[in-house]
């Protein structure tokens, strides 16, 4: 706030300034932007800006509802209301409206943090900021200040608590990964069981040979494996049987089967289709 008193009969307000005129120290009138007249040595104008301003709430130490010590800071955005009555209140009813707004914000922030669980404090910053803004606006209404927004910027935790939360998050990610892997293994086992009903026992051996062949192709190396894996395929009869299986599988129109939902698979229908082929 600024005040000017002296021999000059005029004073001027910029676009963002509003003033009240005191006569012998008492409120007489309000003035907006522009050039205005005053009685020298008798009247004194006092001016305040009505643009949006902000104050930083320094780090405040507090203990959450679940007994975790934290340090919280933030910023408050406010403005003096652009009405004659509110401009008068901002000058007459409080010594320094900006400092008073900051003091209220600090007190409300510490009180609100003490009522919140740590998880709520970390996950619901916007809601907590809105709650502080609402309470703070009620406090500052008596001296003509409108609180526009309150933003919580930083929440600092003890180092031990940070390590514990990191370990908890890592364990949760590991649990989800294991669950996903187990679900994949289960679905693969069900698919393989259904495939065995189509191509029979030799299908497992064929699958093994295909896997070994792909490994050898990708790594360009020699793969050795026990002869027991292909023991049942040595005779001409077994080879002919395997060829028949391959011919049947290659002739099947897989688009007829819905393999997206395992519960919809009908083994009897599959076998009928193979018999028709």
């Amino acid at each position: 706030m600024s005040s000017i008193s002296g021999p000059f009969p005029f004073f001027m307000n910029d676009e963002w300034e509003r003033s009240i005129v005191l006569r012998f120290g008492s409120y007489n009138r309000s003035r907006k932007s522009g050039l205005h007249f005053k009685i020298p040595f008798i009247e004194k104008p006092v001016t305040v800006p009505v643009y949006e301003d902000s104050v930083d709430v320094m780090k405040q130490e507090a203990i959450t509802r679940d007994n975790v010590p934290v340090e919280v800071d933030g910023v408050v955005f406010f403005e003096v209301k652009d009405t004659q009555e509110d401009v008068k209140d901002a000058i007459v009813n409080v010594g320094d409206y900006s400092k008073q707004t900051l003091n209220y914000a600090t007190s409300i922030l510490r009180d609100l943090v003490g009522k919140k669980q740590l998880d709520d404090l970390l996950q619901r910053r916007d809601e907590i900021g809105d709650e502080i803004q609402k309470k703070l606006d009620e406090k500052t209404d008596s001296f003509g200040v409108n609180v526009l927004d309150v933003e919580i910027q930083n929440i600092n935790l003890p180092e031990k608590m940070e390590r514990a939360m990191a370990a908890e998050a890592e364990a949760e990610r590991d649990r989800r990964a294991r669950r996903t892997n187990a679900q994949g293994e289960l679905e693969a086992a069900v698919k393989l069981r259904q495939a065995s009903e189509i191509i029979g026992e030799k299908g497992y051996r064929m699958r093994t040979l295909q896997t070994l062949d792909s490994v050898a192709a990708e790594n360009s190396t020699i793969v050795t494996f026990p002869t027991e894996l292909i023991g049942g395929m040595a005779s001409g009869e077994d080879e002919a049987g395997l060829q028949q299986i391959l011919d049947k599988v290659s002739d099947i129109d897989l688009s007829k089967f819905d393999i997206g939902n395992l519960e919809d698979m009908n083994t009897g229908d599959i076998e009928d289709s193979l018999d028709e082929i």
Side-chain angles (χ1 to χ4, degrees), residues 52-277:
E52 180 179 336
D53 201 356
S54 64
V55 291
D56 293 326
V57 180
M58 304 304 293
K59 289 184 179 179
Q60 302 296 316
E61 295 183 357
I63 299 178
T64 62
R65 187 177 179 181
D66 48 351
N67 298 321
V68 178
V70 295
E71 291 182 348
V72 184
D73 60 21
V75 59
V76 178
F77 301 90
F78 67 95
E79 64 181 2
V80 176
K81 300 176 186 178
D82 190 8
T83 66
Q84 292 185 2
E85 190 65 28
D86 289 316
V87 170
K88 174 186 175 183
D89 291 340
I91 298 173
V92 175
N93 292 353
V94 66
D96 186 339
Y97 63 86
S98 179
K99 182 179 180 181
Q100 190 73 356
T101 300
L102 176 60
N103 290 338
Y104 274 131
T106 300
S107 176
I108 294 173
L109 176 62
R110 291 170 61 92
D111 179 67
L112 197 60
V113 168
K115 296 179 180 179
K116 299 294 183 181
Q117 300 280 349
L118 178 61
D119 289 342
D120 290 339
L121 192 63
L122 295 174
Q123 298 173 9
R124 300 169 57 191
R125 292 190 184 192
D126 292 341
E127 295 180 17
I128 294 175
D130 292 342
E131 190 173 349
I132 295 175
Q133 183 266 335
K134 182 179 179 181
K135 292 184 176 182
L136 182 59
D137 197 41
E138 294 175 356
K139 294 287 187 180
T140 60
D141 188 64
S142 62
F143 49 89
V145 170
N146 178 34
V147 179
L148 302 174
D149 193 16
V150 177
E151 296 288 341
I152 296 178
Q153 293 184 317
N154 299 300
I155 301 175
N156 299 325
L157 304 176
E159 186 177 351
K160 292 183 178 180
M161 179 60 67
E162 290 181 354
R163 289 199 300 266
M165 294 178 66
E168 181 183 2
E170 183 177 358
E172 177 63 19
R173 287 193 298 269
D174 183 65
R175 183 188 69 82
R176 293 179 181 177
R178 290 176 181 272
R179 182 177 179 180
T180 301
N181 184 59
Q183 184 68 23
E185 292 289 343
L186 176 61
E187 293 180 2
V190 174
K191 293 286 187 180
L192 189 58
R193 178 67 181 87
Q194 292 175 339
S196 69
E197 296 179 1
I198 299 175
I199 60 179
E201 178 183 356
K202 294 182 178 62
Y204 290 104
R205 296 174 180 173
M206 182 183 68
R207 185 67 174 175
T208 301
L209 292 176
Q210 289 176 341
T211 302
L212 293 173
D213 180 68
S214 63
V215 170
E218 292 177 1
N219 297 282
S220 299
T221 185
I222 298 175
V223 180
T224 61
F225 51 88
T227 58
E228 289 79 1
L229 291 177
I230 58 173
M233 301 180 186
S235 65
E237 180 182 355
D238 289 338
E239 291 179 358
L242 178 59
Q243 185 61 44
Q244 293 177 1
I245 292 173
L246 294 175
D247 293 340
K248 283 187 176 184
V249 173
S250 62
D251 292 338
I252 295 175
D253 183 6
L254 295 179
S255 63
K256 296 179 181 180
F257 305 114
D258 181 12
I259 61 175
N261 297 319
L262 301 181
E263 64 273 11
D264 295 336
M265 296 291 290
N266 190 322
T267 304
D269 293 340
I270 296 174
E271 292 177 350
D272 293 342
S273 298
L274 291 176
D275 291 339
E276 293 176 1
I277 296 173

